[in-house]
Amino acid sequence: MAKAIEKQELTEVSEAQIAVHWKEEDYYQPSEKFKAQANMRDARILEKFSLERFPDCFKEYADQLTWFEPYRTVLDTSDAPFWKWFVGGKINASYNCVDRHLAKYGNKAAFIFVPEPEKEPDVAISYQELYARVNELAALLRGLGLKAGDRVTFHMPMVPELPITMLACARLGIIHSQVFGGFSGQACGSRIQDSGSRVLVTMDSYWRNGALVDHKANADIAVRTAKELGQDVDKVLVWQRYPGKYSAKTPMVPGRDFFVNDLLKEYQGKKVEPVALPSEGPLFLMYSSGTTGKPKGAQHSIAGYLAYVAATSKWILDIHPDDIYWCMADIGWITGHSYIVYGPLANAATSVLYEGVPTFPDAGRPWRIAERLGVNIFHTAPTAIRMLRKLGPQEPRKYNYQFKSMTTVGEPIEPEAWRWYYDEVGKREAVITDTWWMTETGGFLGTTVPAIQPMKPGSCGPGAPGIHPVIYDETGAEVPKGSGRAGNICIRNPWPGIMQTIWGDRDRYVKTYFAKYNKNPRSKDWRDWPFMCGDGAVQAADGYYRVLGRIDDVINVAGHRLGTKEIESACLTVPEVAEAAVVPVQDELKGRVPEVYIAVKPGVQPSQDVIDRVIKANEEVIGKIARPKHVYIVPDMPKTRSGKIMRRVLAAISNRRDVGDVTTLANPDVVEGKETVTKQGALPEDIAKFGEVE
């Protein structure tokens, strides 16, 4: 009888849906104190941004900015789906982030730089100083012959020179492309080639986990890789971590490499008028971090992007000019562009810029920084939350800081980790915005407006103001809210923060993000172009969305499509488990079955008992269909240098294949020596693609 029920359960879930077994969580309300001071307290905002008022409602986003010339058209759909926002206007991002604040906030800190070595003092950079440094660097770049429309690639760590260089480029209309500092020289080189950059800006060294890393070595590899791919780099501009001193062992190349600090001596005190640029001019390229295939350069506009991140920084992050705001992300990712540089600076914020890893020299470091600097808005990723919980669950209690709001970004956060973040880090007083979005979207898509909507662990919330998500199944049918069924989450309407295109590849842009649900490729009507995000999701009856992870990361077990996030959440209900990663393995009977890797908390001994309880948790929370084939306890997961678990590496290990390029891992030793290449032949496409988008 049990077998018959199980069989019926399997056949009821069609290929078009992802099964969902999560229980609904309780609401958490924002405090009256938070609501009283919030930037956005008017619940009518949700009506103001209804689809009936689209696209004119987005004028309110554009009103966050200072314009040189007013725009004429809110949204131009004539070249759908290549949307043009605020057409006819002239604007400059550098002016909006720096110049316009000088009269009122010139002496206030724009950034407080915290070096990784604790013995080094913090460095506060005022808006006036930021203005001077951005102008001098813009004059230098102009002196090198760079102009609006040129591309410049950066490969830089978390230092003030990075936002300074970004803003100097933006001042002139130079399109910048920052490659995450932890990426390899090869990864940087391929992005140089794709963007057609002839100038690379880098740094000699930076601190990471207590070591001064020779970063200049990557520049030589990047230039060589770009040349092999057909792109010459004329100049490499090298910032010095300690001005006046070269801290790398890799020699400078005469005639190609120049110290920025030396070149700047010619431009001291120089001023450069910000160029009045068309609204829809490109501001930057941000390349996807996928480890296979050609990198995709998401091209973001000046006005639409800046308006979107300025408004969401104000309304969702609740940044006021007198707050001390700390986003622990890296500027090398879209989060850092949107919510360390452009969004906060447009709001005259004071931002903490931390060079190193959050757990150096111990798990108390973030809370010491927060206490010392009076941080009251904190923004980080589930990866960091899980890591800090694993290494120091009681640490936040030791420090006297007070957050009013906290944000989580980058991937769905499990309810267990959410509750620790709320209880321990936020001391049950801070609101949490659990934001869902991606590189291509520019800013938050799914989130609560914190003073208006309650929080719910595991759910990002409804759409942000002006964002109208919809869930479609594989056939294009809309999945109703509250049905308990999941599908592919899409956005019905364009919004100002959306990427303009993939750099140099219009066809790939249409095919990747729009083709699946577009009924008429010739249509100029935005309603015919829902944006496909690439994530699976379910919508509860209250309208809140729960994101299940990438569609590519869904595991199809005997026709039952299981979201990996759900399985990983079930694993984390076992108290000893600190981290979990789920991958698919081939199975002769069921096609695919989940295999689980777990890391246990410090002081916990690996045991069969923990493994048995992880298996039991999956059976109880989800059902027997989610029973893992194996559960492996590992000392650490293979992770990128930003701390994300590389599930594609684990999938290769589980399926006994070559793990591929691991040069960007923070801890390559965890996969070295693994006997992976024991099977011949190509992996099935679903497993080969699994975890590709990290």
Side-chain angles (χ1 to χ4, degrees):
M1 183 64 183
K3 281 205 166 172
I5 292 168
E6 190 172 306
K7 191 173 180 187
Q8 182 189 357
E9 183 191 347
L10 295 185
T11 53
E12 275 178 4
V13 180
S14 77
E15 278 290 306
Q17 295 147 23
I18 303 161
V20 181
H21 307 83
W22 258 321
K23 69 178 179 65
E24 281 295 293
E25 300 285 339
D26 294 332
Y27 292 115
Y28 288 66
Q29 299 293 337
S31 70
E32 292 303 318
K33 183 181 173 187
F34 177 83
K35 288 196 284 191
Q37 62 79 61
N39 280 320
M40 181 50 70
R41 311 193 276 277
D42 185 355
R44 288 174 302 178
I45 185 175
L46 307 172
E47 294 164 32
K48 283 201 286 188
F49 283 94
S50 66
L51 263 185
E52 291 71 42
R53 302 186 181 188
F54 178 87
D56 284 355
C57 55
F58 280 112
K59 287 177 179 175
E60 201 158 332
Y61 279 75
D63 288 347
Q64 309 295 319
L65 307 180
T66 302
W67 296 80
F68 294 151
E69 290 180 25
Y71 59 88
R72 294 187 305 272
T73 308
V74 176
L75 173 63
D76 177 353
T77 66
S78 61
D79 188 21
F82 302 90
W83 317 116
K84 295 185 180 72
W85 284 92
F86 310 127
V87 180
K90 292 285 179 69
I91 197 163
N92 187 282
S94 182
Y95 179 89
N96 272 276
C97 290
V98 187
D99 306 40
R100 67 174 178 157
H101 302 318
L102 295 179
K104 194 170 181 185
Y105 299 112
N107 295 324
K108 188 176 87 80
F111 288 111
I112 303 170
F113 174 59
V114 179
E116 189 187 74
E118 279 197 272
K119 65 179 187 299
E120 291 191 18
D122 303 330
V123 180
I125 299 170
S126 70
Y127 274 92
Q128 194 65 53
E129 187 184 346
L130 184 63
Y131 171 77
R133 294 187 66 181
V134 166
N135 272 277
E136 288 171 357
L137 187 62
L140 188 163
L141 295 173
R142 190 172 62 183
L144 294 175
L146 291 163
K147 61 190 184 309
D150 290 342
R151 280 81 59 209
V152 171
T153 299
F154 310 156
H155 194 204
M156 291 187 68
M158 283 288 285
V159 289
E161 288 78 5
L162 175 50
I164 287 166
T165 312
M166 290 166 70
L167 292 162
C169 284
R171 200 166 190 82
L172 298 169
I174 297 164
I175 303 165
H176 62 74
S177 168
Q178 155 69 359
V179 179
F180 170 58
F183 272 177
S184 65
Q186 292 99 314
C188 181
S190 68
R191 287 151 174 76
I192 289 171
Q193 184 275 326
D194 189 75
S195 65
S197 295
R198 301 189 74 88
V199 175
L200 171 64
V201 184
T202 188
M203 194 157 216
D204 59 355
S205 62
Y206 63 96
W207 288 97
R208 196 82 183 164
N209 263 325
L212 191 59
V213 177
D214 179 348
H215 189 56
K216 168 64 168 62
N218 288 312
D220 293 5
I221 297 166
V223 171
R224 188 169 68 242
T225 302
K227 189 172 181 63
E228 287 166 3
L229 294 169
Q231 178 66 28
D232 287 328
V233 174
D234 302 329
K235 289 184 176 63
V236 177
L237 305 182
V238 183
W239 285 100
Q240 290 169 311
R241 174 62 180 80
Y242 296 98
K245 175 185 166 194
Y246 188 48
S247 302
K249 294 188 175 69
T250 307
M252 298 283 280
V253 176
R256 186 198 75 183
D257 300 353
F258 302 89
F259 289 123
V260 181
N261 307 77
D262 289 347
L263 298 179
L264 276 172
K265 288 169 187 167
E266 287 180 48
Y267 298 95
Q268 272 189 320
K270 287 275 192 294
K271 299 282 187 290
V272 173
E273 280 300 305
V275 179
L277 297 157
S279 303
E280 66 273 20
L283 178 59
F284 66 86
L285 306 179
M286 170 61 67
Y287 281 89
S288 60
S289 58
T291 49
T292 58
K294 190 173 182 237
K296 295 197 299 271
Q299 175 183 317
H300 282 286
S301 70
I302 302 169
Y305 169 82
L306 189 63
Y308 197 75
V309 297
T312 48
S313 292
K314 187 173 182 177
W315 300 339
I316 308 301
L317 298 176
D318 198 52
I319 294 175
H320 301 66
D322 56 352
D323 289 320
I324 307 291
Y325 164 75
W326 182 15
C327 175
M328 268 201 334
D330 193 291
I331 295 173
W333 303 110
I334 190 69
T335 299
H337 276 48
S338 299
Y339 298 118
I340 297 178
V341 182
Y342 288 112
L345 289 178
N347 284 283
T350 294
S351 281
V352 176
L353 192 66
Y354 174 55
E355 176 179 33
V357 293
T359 52
F360 182 84
D362 55 66
R365 184 70 188 276
W367 322 128
R368 286 198 292 281
I369 292 170
E371 180 183 77
R372 185 176 79 248
L373 299 180
V375 173
N376 66 339
I377 305 177
F378 187 67
H379 188 166
T380 192
T383 302
I385 294 165
R386 289 191 293 265
M387 187 162 54
L388 290 162
R389 174 178 173 242
K390 172 183 170 184
L391 298 177
Q394 310 290 317
E395 281 296 308
R397 296 181 184 184
K398 300 175 186 174
Y399 300 95
N400 184 26
Y401 64 82
Q402 209 64 54
F403 295 153
K404 70 167 184 176
S405 76
M406 308 190 304
T407 297
T408 167
V409 63
E411 59 180 315
I413 183 169
E414 305 82 1
E416 291 301 312
W418 191 100
R419 277 187 276 271
W420 179 80
Y421 194 39
Y422 182 79
D423 292 341
E424 297 295 333
V425 179
K427 304 178 180 178
R428 299 189 179 181
E429 290 179 11
V431 295
I432 294 177
T433 43
D434 176 358
T435 62
W436 163 76
W437 58 298
M438 56 205 69
T439 300
E440 297 89 338
T441 74
F444 305 142
L445 292 181
T447 176
T448 52
V449 181
I452 297 170
Q453 295 157 322
M455 305 160 263
K456 193 162 77 165
S459 297
C460 64
I467 300 296
H468 297 275
V470 58
I471 297 175
Y472 292 121
D473 68 16
E474 287 295 306
T475 68
E478 191 171 326
V479 178
K481 70 178 181 182
S483 65
R485 297 186 355 244
N488 302 331
I489 189 166
C490 301
I491 310 299
R492 294 180 193 272
N493 59 301
W495 64 98
I498 190 174
M499 66 194 289
Q500 296 177 295
T501 186
I502 293 173
W503 175 261
D505 201 339
R506 283 171 60 101
D507 291 347
R508 190 178 183 188
Y509 171 73
V510 176
K511 186 179 171 190
T512 305
Y513 303 103
F514 297 97
K516 189 176 180 74
Y517 295 115
N518 170 251
K519 304 284 193 293
N520 177 7
R522 291 201 178 90
S523 175
K524 309 287 183 212
D525 188 332
W526 59 264
R527 293 168 192 81
D528 293 327
W529 295 96
F531 177 86
M532 181 166 154
C533 302
D535 281 329
V538 62
Q539 188 183 22
D542 60 11
Y544 281 37
Y545 293 91
R546 199 156 189 173
V547 178
L548 307 175
R550 303 296 297 171
I551 293 165
D552 289 344
D553 296 356
V554 168
I555 302 176
N556 196 329
V557 183
H560 205 78
R561 299 176 83 217
L562 300 175
T564 51
K565 243 330 160 213
E566 208 175 16
I567 301 173
E568 290 169 5
S569 287
C571 296
L572 286 185
T573 63
V574 177
E576 293 86 350
V577 175
E579 293 178 308
V582 178
V583 298
V585 291
Q586 290 174 277
D587 181 86
E588 284 182 16
L589 188 63
K590 295 181 177 177
R592 306 283 177 271
V593 288
E595 199 154 85
V596 171
Y597 291 80
I598 57 170
V600 292
K601 291 174 183 171
V604 174
Q605 290 301 311
S607 67
Q608 187 60 43
D609 175 58
V610 172
I611 289 171
D612 291 344
R613 282 188 289 124
V614 166
I615 293 169
K616 188 168 181 241
N618 275 286
E619 290 183 346
E620 287 180 353
V621 173
I622 301 174
K624 285 200 164 32
I625 193 69
R627 181 186 173 93
K629 185 170 188 175
H630 297 110
V631 176
Y632 299 111
I633 300 180
V634 293
D636 196 7
M637 305 282 185
K639 288 174 185 160
T640 65
R641 287 174 212 177
S642 65
K644 283 197 174 183
I645 295 170
M646 290 291 275
R647 289 169 179 82
R648 78 160 176 89
V649 172
L650 293 173
I653 292 169
S654 279
N655 289 279
R656 293 175 174 72
R657 295 305 205 284
D658 181 3
V659 298
D661 177 18
V662 293
T663 56
T664 60
L665 290 189
N667 47 359
D669 51 306
V670 302
V671 294
E672 281 169 10
K674 300 275 185 201
E675 296 196 16
T676 54
V677 197
T678 57
K679 288 188 180 179
Q680 298 303 309
L683 277 172
E685 189 182 7
D686 63 315
I687 295 179
K689 279 188 166 181
F690 185 84
E692 190 178 296
V693 185
E694 290 291 346

